[in-house]
């Protein structure tokens, strides 16, 4: 599917969007039983089933696939979990609130749904409440998640801004969590680039959180990006929702890079989600004297992340190494390819007055044949020059 | 063998020390043919054989083990390589120079020879010219090589000094190369510790190189350490000898740590030697904006080194992780072990006024049974408190 296809017109079946909106309120983010039920029955039938189950008792209306004891008990507990929220359920009102904010409810059936979220399986969001560009799949294609500490340092801010601007300049979207610190810096730097930026919130998109970032998040919506959440309008950003939100960030992006993170940091949970999704994880090192880099060093030490130091290395995470192969060899000198014999011969060569082979043999500790072969190699590399029947150093080819 | 055994009296067989001194002048460091020949015949017989071979022609006096064509040619070339230095050979004079400096020629047959050097196989030094403590094996037992850039930064100096002082304080020796920058800082910080320090030079120990470090190297000799080289007195520290010297540093130490290194740096060659010897390699990260850390980041990125940020992590390289297991868990909070249900229940608990279970069920999105189980776990951890028929948050056990 090309980005072009994703923007094609698509009309959702009757009731689908409202049912998905309902499920995103009934079940907490990451509820695998809701994910499995909706996945097997479809959101509309799953909702009807739930209403019947609450009326008639879950066991009476079990789907055929979960007739055995343990699964039935799991589903029974899930119904008890969802039931208390069924009474106050008003998906159309939630959708009205969203539309008043100019938003779109994106559902997995929509061609514009980001493919990366499918990797989440039964923990995939039921829907995304989107402010800004609704063609989210196209926006986050090959995106990079840049995340990190709220309490970042000036060093972290500088690196985050550089990386975000660099990723954005290559037309790639920067995904982050809209938080203070690294997140905000990354969004801000990516805002004016062609790649744009997407903020994934832990609470509803109708109330920007944190309040201090409201202007920034508004700019993201009004720019070429989006502010999204799997939680319906009015949803409170609780700690468990923050942790679950991190899996959405990891799944939306092709790779996740942690810029600064304390030893215990939410950014490490995002890195963990990315690793479980088999997405590349990068960590930016920093001074070992900085507590704000301790989490990054922990990831590097545990082998949970690859060390990244510039935008090329970040892009290599999403693109693979082929495109950049050889870029680093520019700095090599003619001397670098020398074997031990050539190296010793080179060491023995005088800088100015040429020396004879007999003397060179003694100084270099090489056999005459070895010396001659080595001098031949050095001459080709421009590192040895024949002069007055002897040899001296050259400047390199 | 315990360190005590190593200091036991040992009398070398006649001619052994002089023959080893001779070989360390005849063959350049790392000459595998010399290593194999001396290893199979012994240094005295190998020297006699070489003298015969030069007189009679190498092929006439080949050892039985190298009668086939390729090996014979290799040995023939080696003889041509060694022969030019045979005329000027005066091992007794070299030993006199060493003794006048108060030094000792340590040979592999000596019980004080460092065991780690045996791992070098045919590239092991023929002997070590030692100023300072002759019981080198005991000195470097469990040592750490701390190496790095000559052109280091203030950050690198601070980290190198911290690590060296910490390693030394644990009674472990710091091995380095006696160069300016990181090497000098590491030697200096380790100098006054119980672990002591050993400098491995690329040239002869009779002329301290670089000259600017002469006072420091003198202090190492006079302190509880040693300055050593495999090259005899008067030997020039050529570039190829620097590269070969690095293998001795790597082999003397139980682990090698690179503190700061540019993208192209000699310290990376030492790290490579350590890796080939299957010794753990550590790299200290630094700011990505610092060129002096680019080599460390390269090692981390290539998976060639483990990220180390403090002396505990350095010690873990030499000791293995068991001794430090759990040390890092001190910072964990009671909340860290919570599952998703407990986490959601905790989020739902009010801080002050207790809430009833019915309300908690709705807020947390949990089934009543799940909520009660979660509250039980939280109560045990001191995170939930039962009050007035409801529940509120506790401060943790």
């Amino acid at each position: 599917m090309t980005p072009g296809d994703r923007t094609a017109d698509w009309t959702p079946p009757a009731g689908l969007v409202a049912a998905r909106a309902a499920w995103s309120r009934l079940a907490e983010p990451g509820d695998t039983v809701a994910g499995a039920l909706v996945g097997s029955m479809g959101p509309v039938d799953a909702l009807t089933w739930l209403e019947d189950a609450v009326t008639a008792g879950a066991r009476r209306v079990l789907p055929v696939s979960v007739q055995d004891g343990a699964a039935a008990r799991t589903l029974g507990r899930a119904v008890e979990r969802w039931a208390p929220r069924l009474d106050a359920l008003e998906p159309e009102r939630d959708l009205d609130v969203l539309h008043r904010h100019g938003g779109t409810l994106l559902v997995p059936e929509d061609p514009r749904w980001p493919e990366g979220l499918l990797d989440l399986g039964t923990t995939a969001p039921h829907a995304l409440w989107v402010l800004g560009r609704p063609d989210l799949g196209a926006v986050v294609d090959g995106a990079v998640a840049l995340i990190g500490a709220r309490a970042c340092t000036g060093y972290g801010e500088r690196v985050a801004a550089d990386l975000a601007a660099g990723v954005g300049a290559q037309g790639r979207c920067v995904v982050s969590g809209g938080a203070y610190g690294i997140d905000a810096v990354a969004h801000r730097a990516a805002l004016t680039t062609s790649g744009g930026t997407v903020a994934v919130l832990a609470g509803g998109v109708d109330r920007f959180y944190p309040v201090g970032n409201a202007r920034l998040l508004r700019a993201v919506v009004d720019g070429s990006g989006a502010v999204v959440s799997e939680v319906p309008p009015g949803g409170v950003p609780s700690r468990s929702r923050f942790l679950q939100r991190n899996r959405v960030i990891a799944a939306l992006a092709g790779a996740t890079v942690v810029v600064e993170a304390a030893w215990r940091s939410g950014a490490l949970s995002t890195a963990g989600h990315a690793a479980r999704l088999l997405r590349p994880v990068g960590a930016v090192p920093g001074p070992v004297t900085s507590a704000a880099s301790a989490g990054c060093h922990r990831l590097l030490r545990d082998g949970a992340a690859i060390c990244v130091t510039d935008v090329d290395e970040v892009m290599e995470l999403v693109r693979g190494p082929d495109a950049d192969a050889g870029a680093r060899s520019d700095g090599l000198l003619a001397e670098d390819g020398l074997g031990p014999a050539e190296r010793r011969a080179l060491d023995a060569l005088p800088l100015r007055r040429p020396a004879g082979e007999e003397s060179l043999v003694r100084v270099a500790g090489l056999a005459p044949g070895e010396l001659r072969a080595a001098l031949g190699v050095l001459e080709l590399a421009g590192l040895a020059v024949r002069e007055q029947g002897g040899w001296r150093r050259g400047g390199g080819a």
Side-chain angles (χ1 to χ4, degrees), chain A:
Chain A
M1 193 187 292
T2 68
D5 294 332
R6 286 185 181 137
T7 60
D9 275 339
W10 169 81
T11 309
L16 175 71
V17 170
R20 289 238 169 237
W23 276 109
S24 81
R25 182 172 285 282
L26 287 170
E28 278 297 306
D31 184 329
T32 53
V33 185
L37 188 75
V38 170
S40 64
M41 303 182 74
V44 177
D45 289 352
L47 192 59
T48 307
W49 177 87
L50 176 62
E51 284 157 354
D52 291 352
V54 169
T55 314
R59 274 157 210 279
R60 310 274 277 293
V61 289
L62 283 179
V64 182
S65 59
V66 287
Q67 291 290 358
D68 77 284
R73 275 195 299 280
T74 300
L75 195 55
R77 269 200 306 276
V79 168
E80 291 182 63
R81 199 157 69 211
W82 305 326
R85 292 180 174 179
L86 205 51
D87 288 343
L89 196 66
E90 284 184 85
E92 296 299 350
R93 201 195 52 188
D94 289 338
L95 286 165
D96 276 352
V97 174
L98 179 70
H99 295 149
R100 257 185 284 126
H101 282 82
T104 311
L105 190 74
L106 209 58
V107 295
E109 293 80 2
D110 194 316
R112 299 168 300 178
W113 185 255
E115 281 176 19
L117 294 179
L118 303 178
D119 293 347
L120 288 170
T122 55
T123 70
H126 295 284
L128 283 180
W129 305 77
V130 178
L131 297 190
R133 278 181 64 177
D135 57 331
L136 198 63
V139 172
V140 300
D141 189 44
V144 174
L146 284 178
I147 54 169
R150 265 168 275 263
C152 63
T153 69
Y155 163 71
E157 288 185 358
R158 210 157 50 240
V159 176
D162 276 357
L163 295 183
V167 167
Q170 305 212 18
R172 306 284 186 130
C173 174
V174 171
V175 178
S176 197
Y180 292 133
I182 298 297
D183 287 18
V185 170
H187 286 306
R188 197 169 285 120
L191 201 54
T192 53
T193 65
S194 62
T197 185
V198 168
V200 186
L201 303 190
V205 293
D206 57 325
R207 306 188 209 164
F208 286 155
Y209 181 93
V211 175
N213 278 351
R215 276 170 70 105
L216 171 63
L217 293 171
R218 172 52 42 201
V220 168
V221 172
D222 295 339
S224 55
V227 173
V228 309
S229 177
E230 62 179 313
V231 171
V236 173
S238 65
R239 176 145 167 83
S240 69
R241 284 176 179 166
F242 270 114
L243 291 174
Q244 288 296 335
R245 183 275 313 265
N246 292 340
R247 84 192 194 292
V248 178
I249 293 178
L252 281 178
T256 294
V257 173
V258 185
V259 177
E260 273 192 328
W263 180 260
R264 297 160 29 79
S265 165
L268 304 187
S269 114
T270 313
H273 282 297
R276 279 190 288 281
L277 290 166
L278 305 178
R279 308 285 165 86
V281 177
V284 176
V288 298
T289 45
S290 166
S293 287
C296 291
H297 297 152
R298 183 185 189 177
L299 288 172
L300 292 174
R301 198 167 152 70
D302 294 348
I306 294 163
C307 180
V308 292
T309 64
D310 60 21
V311 71
D312 288 343
E313 292 177 353
V314 169
M315 293 312 294
E316 207 175 291
L317 287 182
V318 260
R319 274 204 303 245
D322 49 354
D324 293 276
R328 289 284 181 180
S329 59
D330 293 350
L332 291 182
L333 301 178
E335 292 183 36
D336 286 335
L338 298 183
E342 288 88 38
R343 166 71 60 196
R344 278 199 235 156
L346 183 65
D347 283 344
L349 282 178
L351 287 174
R352 302 240 169 74
R353 286 193 53 173
E357 289 187 10
E358 203 173 311
S359 142
L360 289 174
V361 154
R362 221 171 20 251
V363 174
L366 290 171
E370 290 174 323
L371 178 78
R372 276 189 295 272
L375 288 172
V377 172
L378 294 176
E379 190 176 22
L380 281 174
L383 293 165
V385 176
R386 223 186 282 253
E387 215 174 75
Q388 303 162 27
W391 294 84
R392 65 162 177 84
R393 283 213 194 193

